[in-house]
Amino acid sequence: MIVTEQLANGLSVIIEEIGHVESAAYDLLIPGGLICDPSDRIGSGLIFAEMIGRGAGSLDSRALSEAFEDSGIRHGEWLGMDRFGFSGSLIASKLSRALELVALMIQEPRLSEEDIPNIQSVLLQDIAALNDNPARRVSIELSKRYYPAPFNRCSLGEAEGIRLTDRACMLNMHREMFGPQRAILSIAGKVDASKVLGELKSIFGGWQGSSIDLPEFATISPHEYAHIEVDSAQMQILMAAPSVKFAESHYYTGKIAVSLLGSSMFGRLFMELREKRGLCYSVYARHGANKSYGTVTAYVGTTPERAQESLDVLLAEFGRLRGSVTQAEVDRAKTNLKAALVMGEESPGSRASSNATDWWLLKRVRSLHEISDAISAVSIADINEFLEQFPFAPCSIVTLGRTPLQVPSDIVRSIK
């Protein structure tokens, strides 16, 4: 049973009772994130997400950590592109204590100035290490070029923005963003919904504060090919193309279509590029979407000598998908997608997270049956219709390695 309610202060609450488990989990989402960082302090949200777990109210950093540990609560605080997140899993009997600590963190964080230099140092080390991780670097470089600002910001922040962040910035962030309006608290597990709801009103009912309006998503950048010259024994190839948004009619059609290419070792890309031709050590394609945009991405990790053929075959496989899909491929893709769905949704942590995400994107919670039925309904005709609407070209391509590749002009708009 799922119970939803909005508290008087605007906090949206979702509670799912799962009787056959002994544990519980929570997920609290608050609007904010990298896209809301001040333009001269990109990365300040990352510092905030680190600081908020370092003391709250009368508890210093050590005392707060011990309070979670003493109750066996596994917790994490994180920053996404458009939200702050607080997640935790625990024995169900400890739920009240966990929620008390979370409420203390969001309402009375210490945000101690002495914590900032150490956090800045760690984040700057992450940025400096990016050159040692070419696969991650090419992903960041593609996002910078493909998405409109501020949705193209690096998930690591920017070095200058991190250096400029101070305690005043942290206090402003808390004052401007950490209110209950538009926040979502999702709880799942062995709980009594009516009892938990009563406790929530007591724990979070006094929470007040402002909430921030998220920026609107603008237009995708013109498609292009960009090469980043790096003296490396590897060549990174990454492409991105528009796709269906989350919850639009062809959403699951898009996921299945892309999974036929590259979601597993049975995908066409893996079989053709790696198994049959031995062109690369890694290849995959993925479909990602939210309520503002959908994106198909494909990655190839290879050597400079085999990079051009790898790109040519990659694009050819995308191009020949429409009209060549078999029923056996579709059936296998559906089975794998449902298996991942069911296995991923059996734990309270997964249910709390899924319910919170559904509410964030749709303002309602979907059942497993609803999702499963949507997957079952996908046909070959649907896939061909999807591919006609989203043909993967033109697309954006970024390569990282010694020399640029030749890219057909009809695939991208311009070559740099």
Side-chain angles (χ1 to χ4, degrees):
M1 182 179 75
I2 297 178
V3 174
T4 63
E5 184 165 325
Q6 187 172 50
L7 302 190
N9 59 7
L11 175 64
S12 295
V13 174
I14 309 161
I15 306 170
E16 180 171 359
E17 296 179 348
I18 306 175
H20 62 276
V21 299
E22 296 296 330
S23 62
Y26 65 85
D27 236 56
L28 173 64
L29 305 180
I30 299 174
L34 276 167
I35 59 174
C36 296
D37 282 355
S39 58
D40 62 344
R41 288 173 171 77
I42 297 173
S44 55
L46 294 168
I47 296 177
F48 189 95
E50 284 281 340
M51 292 183 72
I52 203 165
R54 299 192 179 198
S58 62
L59 304 177
D60 62 17
S61 182
R62 183 182 180 90
L64 181 60
S65 293
E66 288 178 348
F68 278 106
E69 290 286 331
D70 288 347
S71 295
I73 304 165
R74 298 177 181 177
H75 70 104
E77 295 74 45
W78 48 271
L79 179 80
M81 190 58 74
D82 61 0
R83 70 199 78 166
F84 290 93
F86 298 75
S87 305
S89 58
L90 49 134
I91 300 299
S93 61
K94 303 296 183 181
L95 180 62
S96 297
R97 180 57 173 158
L99 297 175
E100 288 171 356
L101 293 173
V102 172
L104 191 64
M105 291 166 67
I106 60 173
Q107 294 180 83
E108 301 179 46
R110 287 197 167 193
L111 304 176
S112 301
E113 189 161 9
E114 61 263 28
D115 288 329
I116 294 179
N118 288 340
I119 297 172
Q120 287 172 319
S121 175
V122 171
L123 295 177
L124 291 172
Q125 289 178 54
D126 283 344
I127 293 176
L130 195 56
N131 288 334
D132 298 328
N133 189 341
R136 189 176 188 187
R137 184 182 172 191
V138 77
S139 175
I140 289 172
E141 295 292 345
L142 180 113
S143 293
K144 285 181 182 176
R145 292 163 172 79
Y146 181 77
Y147 294 108
F151 294 83
N152 62 347
R153 290 179 173 178
C154 173
S155 59
L156 301 177
E158 294 184 359
E160 187 61 20
I162 289 170
R163 291 191 187 98
L164 288 174
T165 297
D166 54 17
R167 187 167 187 264
C169 180
M170 300 291 92
L171 294 174
N172 284 337
M173 193 168 285
H174 182 255
R175 183 168 53 251
E176 294 174 357
M177 301 181 189
F178 271 65
Q181 291 286 342
R182 304 193 189 98
I184 298 166
L185 175 58
S186 173
I187 295 167
K190 192 172 186 177
V191 297
D192 181 320
S194 60
K195 179 183 175 184
V196 171
L197 196 54
E199 291 175 344
L200 291 179
K201 291 176 180 176
S202 173
I203 296 171
F204 289 94
W207 181 20
Q208 299 294 327
S210 303
S211 294
I212 194 168
D213 292 326
L214 298 176
E216 293 290 328
F217 187 82
T219 305
I220 294 286
S221 300
H223 303 295
E224 63 179 21
Y225 169 54
H227 176 72
I228 301 165
E229 188 172 335
V230 174
D231 185 16
S232 170
Q234 303 176 45
M235 187 75 171
Q236 315 296 319
I237 303 171
L238 191 62
M239 63 165 280
S243 186
V244 63
K245 299 175 186 176
F246 182 80
E248 286 187 336
S249 59
H250 275 318
Y251 174 67
Y252 284 105
T253 306
K255 288 187 73 69
I256 289 176
V258 175
S259 74
L260 299 178
L261 287 166
S263 68
S264 71
M265 291 190 295
F266 297 102
R268 290 188 180 190
L269 297 181
F270 187 89
M271 296 301 293
E272 189 66 26
L273 274 80
R274 194 176 188 278
E275 295 298 287
K276 181 179 177 181
R277 301 178 186 244
L279 291 174
C280 59
Y281 55 84
S282 178
V283 60
Y284 63 79
R286 291 174 179 166
H287 184 276
N290 58 34
K291 62 183 177 182
S292 299
Y293 59 88
T295 306
V296 174
T297 55
Y299 167 82
V300 181
T302 183
T303 61
E305 295 77 16
R306 299 188 174 187
Q308 185 63 58
E309 185 179 356
S310 294
L311 176 62
D312 294 343
V313 176
L314 175 78
L315 296 176
E317 288 300 313
F318 269 92
R320 79 178 186 88
L321 185 60
R322 183 169 174 243
S324 68
V325 175
T326 67
Q327 190 61 50
E329 285 180 303
V330 175
D331 291 343
R332 186 186 304 122
K334 288 182 180 179
T335 299
N336 280 287
L337 194 54
K338 289 181 180 178
L341 172 70
V342 171
M343 288 188 289
E345 296 292 315
E346 286 190 335
S347 74
S350 295
R351 290 303 303 157
S353 176
S354 294
N355 292 344
T357 302
D358 272 2
W359 201 268
W360 181 272
L361 295 173
L362 304 172
K363 301 301 182 191
R364 69 182 183 89
V365 175
R366 300 172 300 163
S367 68
L368 287 178
H369 287 299
E370 178 184 347
I371 299 172
S372 180
D373 288 347
I375 295 170
S376 297
V378 175
S379 66
I380 292 178
D382 293 333
I383 292 174
N384 288 329
E385 185 179 334
F386 164 80
L387 294 172
E388 184 175 4
Q389 187 177 355
F390 299 99
F392 306 133
C395 63
S396 294
I397 298 175
V398 173
T399 55
L400 189 150
R402 292 176 185 168
T403 57
L405 304 179
Q406 295 299 313
V407 178
S409 58
D410 60 333
I411 297 296
V412 295
R413 198 191 70 158
S414 61
I415 296 178
K416 291 185 176 180

